[in-house]
Amino acid sequence: MDQRMAKQYFSTELLNWYMQNKRDLPWRRHRNPYYIWVSEIMLQQTRVETVKPYFERFITRFPTLTDLAEAPEEDVLKLWEGLGYYSRARNLQAAAKQVLELHGGEVPNEKDAVFNLKGVGPYTAGAILSIAFNQPEPAVDGNVMRVLSRYFLIEDDIMKGSTRVKMETLAAELIPQGRAGDFNQALMELGALVCTPKSPHCLTCPVMEMCKGRIEGREDTLPVKKKAKPPRPEQRIAALVTGTSINEGKILVRQRPQTGLLARMWELPHVLASEPGGLASQVPDEPAMDMMKGHLLEEGYAINPKEFWKIAEHTFSHIHWNLQVYRCEQADHMVSPAMVAERIETYKTEGYVYKWIGPNDMETMAFPNVFLKLLKEHFAL
């Protein structure tokens, strides 16, 4: 069978399968462009089952794009807490403000306008235009590239930009007239449920008969994907500082700077134990506690380190934090006026803001998942 017939077979059989097997997902129950947009941003690098409750809570709190655009950023980050990749939430809100200012609060259906929204790349733009407006635009993500690589036996490295362009062109050719939204979702569904990264379920695949990858026995070796550089390991020392006197029952936390990694999110105080790129090995307890004590003293907070608590980890796309967490107490003595002045200068240069908090404060403050878990465990929440 020639390429044209292979494409027609693929599109027809895939759509038929999808209409009978598609999952009932909350963002599929309507064609609201705003809801579809939110779901697609949340689904980036995140499992469907994880996203479901987040999507429901987010839409309940911000039912319209205007509600999102006008909300305090702290509220948006709190609703995103635990999903990770927090720049997604900030970009989503920034783009909502763009839509409010430039498009009267209505998600645009013009390709250039959608592409110009902050945080919207080719995949997300294609998903919005096809699913919400049924426009014949491809939406090519990792799932889709895996499916196409196997079915058409494409051996190009999917990490290359040229391969993505090739896949987008191919995906656009496969879209049946008038069925762009259903077809793109069908492709995603097949990659998520059947044509999985490992041990694909070929016997239940609706297009198995003409899948070149399966016929050639290449289903487990495709797609070709150059391994990404592993995240750089960093050894860090963190302090869980319990308060005394008027701060009894509280924990010392700090807010990160206005820009950069995890901008404006709250965390336990921590310090890098070695130079970036240096050996990331565990530091003995005494030097580690002295390091943390000295760091917080420079920030204007006197503490008494008590004991090692636990190891915690957090992985970003480019960095892996290995956190040695120590239980500490607020010291009884006050810091000197000069130290307070130095602390104020630290605020100016590093942008950290410190605060004593109790368990109730966590209802409104957004923490990265690693610190959220530590605080919940401490407060027994």
Side-chain angles (χ1 to χ4, degrees):
M1 196 175 288
D2 62 23
Q3 185 82 336
R4 183 184 62 82
M5 294 181 69
K7 291 179 180 179
Q8 184 177 353
Y9 170 85
F10 180 88
S11 300
T12 301
E13 295 302 321
L14 180 59
L15 263 180
N16 290 340
W17 170 82
Y18 176 70
M19 299 312 295
Q20 296 176 24
N21 296 278
K22 65 179 179 180
R23 289 172 290 181
D24 178 22
L25 302 177
W27 46 89
R28 286 182 176 166
R29 298 169 190 165
H30 41 68
R31 293 286 184 177
N32 186 318
Y34 166 60
Y35 289 6
I36 291 167
W37 182 7
V38 170
S39 71
E40 290 298 335
I41 297 298
M42 286 187 169
L43 286 165
Q44 292 172 8
Q45 304 183 65
T46 310
R47 295 175 58 252
V48 166
E49 293 305 314
T50 301
V51 167
K52 281 182 181 179
Y54 279 93
F55 176 82
E56 300 278 17
R57 290 193 294 266
F58 199 88
I59 293 304
T60 299
R61 173 64 179 82
F62 311 117
T64 70
L65 186 144
T66 300
D67 292 320
L68 173 60
E70 296 179 346
E73 184 184 86
E74 291 76 11
D75 291 1
V76 178
L77 291 176
K78 187 63 182 176
L79 265 293
W80 207 271
E81 186 180 64
L83 270 180
Y85 302 97
Y86 293 94
S87 61
R88 294 182 298 172
R90 293 191 183 90
N91 288 340
L92 179 61
Q93 186 179 34
K97 292 177 180 178
Q98 283 181 268
V99 173
L100 193 61
E101 179 182 349
L102 302 175
H103 306 286
E106 298 291 331
V107 178
N109 60 5
E110 298 85 14
K111 185 174 180 178
D112 288 344
V114 174
F115 264 94
N116 286 330
L117 296 175
K118 190 171 180 61
V120 173
Y123 167 76
T124 304
I128 294 171
L129 291 167
S130 63
I131 299 171
F133 302 110
N134 205 29
Q135 295 185 18
E137 292 292 335
V140 175
D141 65 354
N143 278 337
V144 171
M145 286 196 283
R146 182 170 61 254
V147 170
L148 297 182
S149 291
R150 288 171 175 168
Y151 183 82
F152 292 99
L153 194 59
I154 298 171
E155 299 179 281
D156 300 338
D157 182 0
I158 64 171
M159 297 299 287
K160 293 182 177 180
S162 58
T163 305
R164 170 173 286 278
V165 172
K166 180 177 181 178
M167 295 284 192
E168 288 173 346
T169 301
L170 176 58
E173 294 172 352
L174 295 170
I175 298 174
Q177 187 172 1
R179 302 295 302 277
D182 286 335
F183 179 77
N184 280 345
Q185 291 182 92
L187 258 178
M188 300 171 199
E189 196 85 332
L190 188 69
L193 301 181
V194 179
C195 198
T196 50
K198 296 180 180 179
S199 303
H201 310 292
C202 293
L203 294 179
T204 61
C205 178
V207 296
M208 64 167 288
E209 290 185 14
M210 294 196 63
C211 176
K212 290 184 179 180
R214 182 194 66 81
I215 293 170
E216 296 292 331
R218 296 290 308 281
E219 66 272 20
D220 289 322
T221 60
L222 290 172
V224 174
K225 182 179 181 180
K226 182 180 178 180
K227 287 187 178 181
K229 186 178 179 180
R232 180 184 73 246
E234 287 187 356
Q235 196 72 23
R236 288 181 170 267
I237 314 301
L240 183 87
V241 184
T242 54
T244 58
S245 186
I246 61 172
N247 294 319
E248 187 74 33
K250 295 183 177 182
I251 294 294
L252 182 67
V253 297
R254 69 184 185 189
Q255 188 177 39
R256 293 183 65 84
Q258 296 294 306
T259 58
L261 185 68
L262 300 174
R264 294 184 291 281
M265 298 196 73
W266 294 87
E267 64 183 7
L268 294 179
H270 58 96
V271 62
L272 184 64
S274 61
E275 291 299 317
L279 184 63
S281 56
Q282 190 161 335
V283 180
D285 289 341
E286 290 299 326
M289 289 190 287
D290 287 344
M291 187 182 300
M292 195 70 240
K293 182 177 180 179
H295 173 71
L296 280 176
L297 193 60
E298 290 177 357
E299 299 281 272
Y301 289 88
I303 65 167
N304 292 320
K306 293 297 183 182
E307 60 182 358
F308 171 78
W309 182 26
K310 60 168 50 188
I311 294 289
E313 297 181 84
H314 191 71
T315 301
F316 304 92
S317 59
H318 62 300
I319 302 173
H320 177 84
W321 283 353
N322 193 64
L323 295 154
Q324 296 174 225
V325 188
Y326 292 86
R327 290 189 180 276
C328 310
E329 285 184 355
Q330 179 184 6
D332 293 333
H333 62 277
M334 297 292 291
V335 297
S336 68
M339 188 66 71
V340 173
E342 183 178 340
R343 171 183 156 200
I344 293 173
E345 186 61 32
T346 299
Y347 285 169
K348 292 179 182 177
T349 57
E350 297 187 9
Y352 288 106
V353 176
Y354 287 76
K355 184 176 182 179
W356 293 97
I357 68 163
N360 292 336
D361 294 304
M362 293 181 62
E363 296 178 6
T364 58
M365 301 167 69
F367 291 85
N369 210 34
V370 61
F371 298 112
L372 181 66
K373 289 179 179 178
L374 291 170
L375 286 167
K376 282 186 173 182
E377 182 174 346
H378 171 78
F379 287 126
L381 295 177

